[in-house]
Amino acid sequence: MNVLEPKVIVKDVTKIFGKSPKAALSLLKEGRSKKEILEKTGSSVGVNHANLEIYPGEIFVVMGLSGSGKSTLIRMLNRLIDPTSGQILIDNQDIVKLKSNELRDVRRKKISMVFQNFALFPHRTILENTEFGLEIQDMPESERRQKASDALKLVGLAGYEEQYPNQLSGGMQQRVGLARALASDTDILLMDEAFSALDPLIRKGMQDELLEIQETMKKTIIFITHDLDEALRIGDRIALMKDGTIIQTGTPEEIMVNPANEFVERFVEDVDLSKVLTAAHVLKRAERITPDRGPRVALQIMKDQGYSSIFVVDRRQTLLGALTADQASRAVKENKTIEDVMEKDILTVQEDTILADLMDKAATSQIPLAVIDEHNRLKGVIIRGSVIGALAGNKEDLNVKEVF
Amino acid sequence: MGFPKIPLARWVDVFVEKITDIFGGFFEGISNGIEFVMESIVNVLNYGPNWVLILILSALAFYISRWGLALFTLIGLLLIDNLGYWDATIDSLALVLSSVIITIIIGLPLGIWAARSDTARSIITPIMDFMQTMPAFVYLIPAILFFGIGVVPGIIASVIFAVPPTIRLTNLGIREVPKDLIEASDAFGSTPRQKLFKVQLPIAAPTILAGINQSIMLTLSMVVVASLVGAPGLGAEVYRAVTQVKVGQGFEAGLSIVIIAIILDRISQNLRKPAYESKVSKKYIYGIVALLFIILFIIASIGNAKPAEQADPGNIGAKVDYKITGIDPGAGLMRLTKEAMDEYELDEWTLTEGSSAAMMTELKKAYKKEEPIIITGWIPHWMFQKYDLKFLEDPKHVYGSGEYINTLTRKGFKQENPGAYKILDQFFWTPQDMGEVMIDVEEGEKPEAAAAKWIKGHQDKVKKWVTGAQRGTGQKVTLTYVAWESEVASNNVIALVLQEHGYTVDLKQVEAGPMFAAVADGSADAMVSAGLPTTHKDYYETYKAGLEDLGPNLKGTKLGLTVPKYMEDVNSMEDLQND
């Protein structure tokens, strides 16, 4: 991903609300706190020297509690709020410097937005709402109707064109909001707490649908949320904000596993680790053997290492089965090959299976769970003890990649 | 008390005068425009037979608000027709519609402006507060100066009075559009204009319409006030009923206003969400109504286009637009003038109604530019001191030959208060005397001061009035009078004389009818303003049972059509006739 040019670069962006932004800005440079600045100048710091690079095609989640400045930050990306200082580059064009007509063009062609409370126009039908972005670009009616109905189809709302927003449920309304943003066919999609107003079940469905749409559309999505679970579910990368400052940026697992400070740690501590950590995090090296080595060798290895079973792979590391010590000694006695006696129908999990989903298998399986990749190659093994250790927050049980 | 009075009134006078001078042409243009709209609406509404309009309005009421209002509209309008107020109702409807159209044209943009700029709002809001709290009558004065007498100043005053709700609620409606909808509109790249027309106005529409509804109601409440400057319609009927103390007539006219008010209110309230919208789209219904209106508008304005200016440019009628400028509709002088117009066959002439103040303003304007004007004049009035005027000869003696101003008291006043009675009986002076007081008042002196000044200078006359009258011991004497300049003068003088003689005087300013009624029923003691035998003939006949006539206090009064002396070609009523 890093080889790509960033789509959006946020450079040292600060937003001060209030009457004396300059005074507040210089106090901010001195390192005064948000509270101090408010008391001294009456101005409040919305966003404090934020820096971000967002790459094409990724879902970038900005997460924080209310008042953390995340909504302000996302609104500066299309300048619904003007930054007090700093640069915002979209395709290497600094949008902070744009005149109002150039800015309108960026908003029409490059960035569209989905709002927390849907922000549908009550006096327009679903179709008219969807085509709004195109209508104000003076696109001919037949063309924009076509694009709008395509977008509605994409979000599963074909047939609702002539209804009004108040006739639809919350989830459906937000689909309209999404369709309206998609209809403009912009590269960048800003989603401001887009699913927060929906109830949990519908929210999850919408997250899945967004991921599905993203699969084909490959938009650059900047998604604001206060819900860590949501961030972890859909975010390719996450930036965590507190008091207007970006505390940490990274992939979900980086944030989970290597919290930058106590705040992040506290923030993530309530998260259900079993839904974040995957098989890859806890797998251990698996003892393996190719069938041609024979049952004697297999038995010897197991005795030496103190294992009761061993995985059987071919030369390409493709998993063939598992051999227990009992089976190995039977083969020696009856003079059979490993392939004759080994267990072929064994339970396996993929590397990216989350712990929550593999727990069941780990509990029922007689032999340790094998972890394989998409080509059925053995990657490692899940030991029950290390799963429990990882869920308990024991770092020694985690295979952590170095962060950058 | 050393600080002199700030001459605020004088400054306002000068300011208004300057504006009249500078923007005269501009105001005339506006005036013509408004008059054209008003006349066109009257023509359109009057185009077919009455029952057609009644049916159309009832049908519209049915579509918008179901059968209840439809039935009310049908019965209400038929009742108005039956009572004989149809034409007045059409005039009032046209007045209201014209005012509302102008209100929207002015109010909507101002409301939008106020919504978009806090500075604009902070400028507009106090002005609107001022406009709404200033008594509506006050607008009539500059409105006459700028726009002349007739329906136009009435409309202007109505608009000033009625426009604030439209502005306020437009502003409010737009400001109340949810913030996220504004953000959505911005985020997709709307221009400010697109945002306004595609988002803000449609969403604010219910609030804006509520404002327009209020404006309609306020306009309707102004029809009576507008009639003071000559706007025709139900308001003039009410005004006439008040000045003539005709309870029944007042009720009929008032009821008609109420009926119209209810219909307009209910229709305008539900305009946006008609009851049968689901059956027939409102676009079609309103489209048909608008189309019908426009077609009739065109037909009516073609049919009504005035024939080219009469061949003879010297024709006096054409010069003054066949208009005689009159005073309050209930005045005897107006009745006489109508009689005179019949007598001299002045069929193509119209007599505009209003008030004496409005007429004087018209005269002042015309006199300044030496334009021709014909008014209803009378002596005593300061206009004859201030301007060079002449009465038109009246060879048929319609206006009577000798006219007096009499003193009347209630029955029994003589026995109860012989001293005051004697002074009132002996009160007698000349038009010249009265003129001296009047001109002082006209030039800015307070009436009391002008009266005191006159008394000081004419002790001999005053002595004669009080000879033989016993001094009072604080007894109260209540006098009624109308606010004509002549009567202000006489009443202040006689009041002061009575006071100097030990009486407490209560002066009550009323309209002509109540002036007689109050003395006749004993709620007032006397009046020195009865124009007899002609001017107040009707009132005198009605109330004479309760009155005692003490004879004239002033002789040599005169009534008649009056023109400035510079109109050399016009000397007689007969000169007004077309050959």
Side-chain angles (χ1 to χ4, degrees):
Chain A
M1 219 182 259
N2 290 15
V3 282
L4 287 168
E5 280 272 298
K7 184 87 182 164
V8 180
I9 302 175
V10 175
K11 258 191 202 161
D12 229 16
V13 165
T14 298
K15 175 67 193 178
I16 312 275
F17 293 105
K19 281 180 185 158
S20 44
K22 278 199 180 138
L25 209 54
S26 58
L27 285 174
L28 201 58
K29 268 189 193 138
E30 290 168 24
R32 306 296 184 88
S33 78
K34 203 171 158 173
K35 199 175 157 199
E36 252 181 298
I37 294 173
L38 181 64
E39 276 165 8
K40 279 215 166 118
T41 64
S43 298
S44 79
V45 180
V47 171
N48 177 8
H49 295 96
N51 285 289
L52 290 174
E53 288 189 350
I54 298 161
Y55 295 93
E58 73 171 330
I59 299 184
F60 190 92
V61 177
V62 180
M63 190 181 63
L65 302 174
S66 63
S68 61
K70 57 190 191 306
S71 284
T72 308
L73 180 64
I74 199 179
R75 277 171 173 70
M76 289 194 283
L77 299 183
N78 62 355
R79 275 185 52 196
L80 286 178
I81 294 175
D82 279 319
T84 308
S85 69
Q87 278 183 307
I88 295 168
L89 302 176
I90 292 176
D91 292 331
N92 286 320
Q93 180 186 32
D94 186 357
I95 64 150
V96 178
K97 294 205 176 84
L98 296 184
K99 295 194 196 89
S100 59
N101 58 331
E102 295 166 328
L103 176 64
R104 267 202 293 280
D105 235 39
V106 168
R107 286 170 171 176
R108 288 174 177 187
K109 310 280 190 203
K110 284 199 174 162
I111 305 186
S112 50
M113 191 160 179
V114 181
F115 294 85
Q116 175 169 16
N117 292 309
F118 324 138
L120 299 181
F121 302 119
H123 61 290
R124 294 175 147 248
T125 63
I126 299 310
L127 187 68
E128 285 167 351
N129 262 288
T130 311
E131 68 179 1
F132 181 79
L134 306 172
E135 182 185 326
I136 59 180
Q137 297 178 34
D138 294 324
M139 183 182 281
E141 185 164 326
S142 58
E143 197 182 338
R144 67 177 196 241
R145 295 250 138 150
Q146 188 56 50
K147 290 200 173 183
S149 14
D150 289 349
L152 282 173
K153 236 173 256 160
L154 194 65
V155 298
L157 278 183
Y160 289 91
E161 287 84 355
E162 296 311 316
Q163 309 249 307
Y164 282 87
N166 61 9
Q167 296 171 289
L168 266 53
S169 70
M172 286 160 104
Q173 290 190 33
Q174 193 56 300
R175 281 164 206 259
V176 179
L178 186 58
R180 177 173 65 182
L182 292 175
S184 297
D185 199 24
T186 54
D187 292 345
I188 303 171
L189 206 56
L190 304 180
M191 302 185 75
D192 177 25
E193 301 251 12
F195 304 147
S196 301
L198 306 175
D199 58 55
L201 259 176
I202 296 176
R203 191 187 312 168
K204 223 166 163 203
M206 289 293 285
Q207 290 164 358
D208 290 341
E209 222 163 300
L210 178 70
L211 292 174
E212 207 181 301
I213 291 170
Q214 172 68 351
E215 197 70 27
T216 51
M217 311 272 291
K218 294 284 175 212
K219 304 272 184 201
T220 306
I221 298 177
I222 296 147
F223 194 106
I224 299 284
T225 183
H226 63 265
D227 174 2
L228 185 60
D229 283 334
E230 183 167 69
L232 297 172
R233 256 176 82 84
I234 65 171
D236 291 321
R237 286 196 300 141
I238 299 175
L240 213 94
M241 285 187 81
K242 185 202 178 201
D243 289 345
T245 311
I246 295 176
I247 308 258
Q248 188 175 9
T249 308
T251 61
E253 76 175 61
E254 281 163 6
I255 289 194
M256 293 301 306
V257 170
N258 263 334
N261 61 18
E262 217 175 299
F263 170 76
V264 182
E265 209 168 318
R266 264 215 325 278
F267 202 93
V268 299
E269 77 187 353
D270 291 334
V271 173
D272 185 352
L273 282 173
S274 70
K275 288 183 178 151
V276 180
L277 299 178
T278 63
H281 285 116
V282 293
L283 59 77
K284 297 281 181 241
R285 213 193 96 73
E287 283 304 327
R288 61 197 75 192
I289 191 168
T290 47
D292 57 319
R293 306 279 300 271
R296 270 171 231 281
V297 179
L299 202 56
Q300 189 59 46
I301 293 173
M302 282 187 265
K303 271 185 186 156
D304 289 350
Q305 302 284 338
Y307 292 152
S308 59
S309 64
I310 192 167
F311 290 108
V312 183
V313 296
D314 67 10
R315 290 195 179 279
R316 287 205 210 99
Q317 300 297 314
T318 312
L319 183 65
L320 299 174
L323 186 72
T324 61
D326 289 350
Q327 289 166 333
S329 47
R330 202 174 81 220
V332 171
K333 269 185 215 156
E334 299 172 9
N335 206 14
K336 290 188 173 165
T337 63
I338 289 178
E339 282 157 307
D340 290 339
V341 295
M342 71 178 179
E343 191 77 48
K344 284 177 186 152
D345 196 16
I346 57 170
L347 290 172
T348 58
V349 293
Q350 299 280 331
E351 274 178 297
D352 59 358
T353 308
I354 57 171
L355 297 192
D357 293 345
L358 63 74
M359 238 103 75
D360 212 27
K361 285 180 179 172
T364 53
S365 167
Q366 298 294 320
I367 52 172
L369 268 180
V371 181
I372 53 172
D373 68 8
E374 62 264 40
H375 302 298
N376 208 24
R377 283 189 293 240
L378 182 64
K379 286 304 195 183
V381 63
I382 304 281
I383 314 284
R384 273 174 238 174
S386 55
V387 172
I388 294 162
L391 290 180
N394 193 343
K395 284 195 183 163
E396 282 139 44
D397 287 313
L398 290 176
N399 313 312
V400 179
K401 289 172 222 154
E402 279 307 308
V403 182
F404 300 129
Chain B
M1 287 295 288
F3 195 76
K5 175 183 186 292
I6 299 169
L8 187 58
R10 177 134 195 89
W11 291 343
V12 174
D13 286 347
V14 170
F15 175 71
V16 168
E17 203 162 311
K18 283 271 176 284
I19 290 191
T20 323
D21 284 352
I22 298 168
F23 297 106
F26 172 69
F27 287 134
E28 206 171 311
I30 291 182
S31 181
N32 289 341
I34 294 176
E35 218 157 76
F36 173 74
V37 171
M38 169 85 187
E39 271 171 24
S40 306
I41 294 177
V42 171
N43 288 336
V44 167
L45 295 181
N46 265 335
Y47 194 75
N50 301 353
W51 58 267
V52 174
L53 182 62
I54 293 177
L55 283 184
I56 291 178
L57 286 178
S58 303
L60 191 64
F62 178 73
Y63 173 68
I64 288 174
S65 187
R66 299 180 198 280
W67 60 268
L69 182 66
L71 206 62
F72 180 84
T73 307
L74 185 69
I75 294 172
L77 292 180
L78 284 175
L79 177 69
I80 290 176
D81 195 18
N82 172 270
L83 293 176
Y85 291 93
W86 184 256
D87 289 338
T89 300
I90 295 294
D91 282 339
S92 288
L93 263 181
L95 178 104
V96 170
L97 286 179
S98 320
S99 305
V100 168
I101 291 169
I102 299 168
T103 299
I104 294 171
I105 292 174
I106 295 174
L108 211 55
L110 280 179
I112 292 169
W113 189 40
R116 296 175 117 187
S117 145
D118 285 337
T119 319
R121 183 176 61 162
S122 58
I123 295 170
I124 291 173
T125 308
I127 294 178
M128 285 195 297
D129 293 339
F130 182 88
M131 279 160 63
Q132 277 193 307
T133 20
M134 180 65 102
F137 282 83
V138 177
Y139 302 131
L140 294 177
I141 310 169
I144 304 167
L145 282 173
F146 297 155
F147 301 104
I149 198 169
V151 74
V152 176
I155 290 179
I156 298 286
S158 303
V159 168
I160 296 174
F161 187 65
V163 78
T166 298
I167 300 178
R168 275 185 219 279
L169 287 174
T170 303
N171 167 44
L172 183 71
I174 292 178
R175 281 178 187 264
E176 273 184 344
V177 173
K179 187 170 165 269
D180 58 342
L181 297 187
I182 298 298
E183 277 193 332
S185 170
D186 283 336
F188 285 98
S190 301
T191 61
R193 174 184 292 261
Q194 286 172 328
K195 182 165 65 177
L196 181 65
F197 285 103
K198 290 180 192 289
V199 178
Q200 290 171 310
L201 284 182
I203 291 173
T207 314
I208 295 175
L209 277 174
I212 292 174
N213 171 267
Q214 282 189 27
S215 289
I216 293 175
M217 293 296 108
L218 286 180
T219 313
L220 207 53
S221 75
M222 280 290 287
V223 293
V224 175
V225 175
S227 72
L228 296 185
V229 289
L234 292 170
E237 301 291 340
V238 171
Y239 182 33
R240 191 169 306 149
V242 170
T243 55
Q244 297 175 354
V245 205
K246 292 192 170 155
V247 181
Q249 217 180 65
F251 182 78
E252 284 179 355
L255 183 69
S256 305
I257 294 183
V258 171
I259 291 171
I260 295 299
I262 292 175
I263 295 172
L264 285 179
D265 179 51
R266 298 300 186 275
I267 288 186
S268 63
Q269 259 182 25
N270 298 312
L271 215 47
R272 214 177 68 81
K273 285 220 174 291
Y276 292 103
E277 190 180 10
S278 52
K279 299 234 166 51
V280 192
S281 166
K282 60 185 176 192
K283 279 180 201 157
Y284 294 118
I285 298 288
Y286 296 164
I288 289 169
V289 172
L291 199 68
L292 199 65
F293 191 90
I294 290 167
I295 291 171
L296 288 178
F297 184 89
I298 293 166
I299 294 175
S301 33
I302 291 172
N304 254 55
K306 280 186 188 144
E309 204 68 8
Q310 301 260 321
D312 177 11
N315 184 325
I316 175 63
K319 275 189 198 156
V320 298
D321 217 2
Y322 291 95
K323 197 168 89 177
I324 296 167
T325 306
I327 53 172
D328 5 346
L333 178 55
M334 295 295 277
R335 182 176 48 76
L336 284 176
T337 304
K338 275 180 198 147
E339 272 172 36
M341 287 163 72
D342 284 346
E343 203 65 33
Y344 291 96
E345 292 165 359
L346 305 179
D347 303 333
E348 64 273 52
W349 290 74
T350 52
L351 173 64
T352 61
E353 298 173 343
S355 60
S356 58
M359 182 184 78
M360 291 317 296
T361 330
E362 284 282 273
L363 174 64
K364 185 178 174 185
K365 262 169 66 183
Y367 197 85
K368 207 163 171 184
K369 295 188 221 158
E370 293 215 0
E371 283 169 358
I373 183 168
I374 302 175
I375 62 170
T376 55
W378 67 94
I379 286 179
H381 191 283
W382 54 264
M383 65 175 123
F384 287 93
Q385 266 89 354
K386 185 143 179 168
Y387 306 111
D388 275 334
L389 304 175
K390 62 186 178 190
F391 281 109
L392 295 187
E393 282 160 32
D394 175 20
K396 294 186 182 170
H397 298 290
V398 182
Y399 286 104
S401 33
E403 183 75 2
Y404 310 111
I405 296 181
N406 283 22
T407 305
L408 307 178
T409 68
R410 64 180 166 89
K411 285 256 161 80
F413 182 62
K414 183 179 182 180
Q415 287 76 35
E416 288 168 33
N417 202 338
Y421 180 87
K422 181 133 196 162
I423 294 174
L424 285 168
D425 195 17
Q426 295 183 87
F427 170 49
F428 184 84
W429 59 347
T430 66
Q432 177 61 35
D433 294 326
M434 194 186 234
E436 285 174 28
V437 181
M438 277 195 280
I439 200 80
D440 279 348
V441 174
E442 162 62 13
E443 275 160 11
E445 195 106 50
K446 286 248 179 260
E448 298 84 353
K453 185 175 149 198
W454 184 88
I455 290 171
K456 212 170 167 190
H458 299 81
Q459 282 297 326
D460 47 334
K461 272 196 181 162
V462 175
K463 241 177 221 141
K464 274 189 212 154
W465 300 349
V466 301
T467 316
Q470 65 190 84
R471 281 191 74 86
T473 51
Q475 294 101 320
K476 194 164 156 187
V477 180
T478 304
L479 300 178
T480 53
Y481 72 108
V482 285
W484 295 359
E485 292 81 352
S486 57
E487 305 321 309
V488 170
S490 60
N491 277 276
N492 273 285
V493 168
I494 193 68
L496 208 55
V497 170
L498 284 167
Q499 272 165 7
E500 282 174 355
H501 242 68
Y503 297 96
T504 313
V505 180
D506 187 8
L507 282 182
K508 285 213 161 88
Q509 177 194 322
V510 290
E511 290 292 339
M515 170 170 77
F516 279 83
V519 177
D521 72 12
S523 57
D525 296 313
M527 52 184 278
V528 296
S529 309
L532 293 174
T534 318
T535 311
H536 291 144
K537 184 174 165 222
D538 293 350
Y539 302 123
Y540 184 69
E541 292 299 325
T542 310
Y543 294 108
K544 73 178 170 194
L547 299 171
E548 186 178 337
D549 185 357
L550 309 190
N553 59 50
L554 183 132
K555 284 181 180 168
T557 66
K558 201 163 183 238
L559 306 168
L561 292 191
T562 307
V563 298
K565 279 197 178 142
Y566 55 71
M567 289 168 69
E568 287 164 7
D569 302 340
V570 187
N571 290 306
S572 162
M573 297 286 288
E574 284 164 345
D575 292 343
L576 304 183
Q577 292 164 333
N578 265 354
D579 308 317

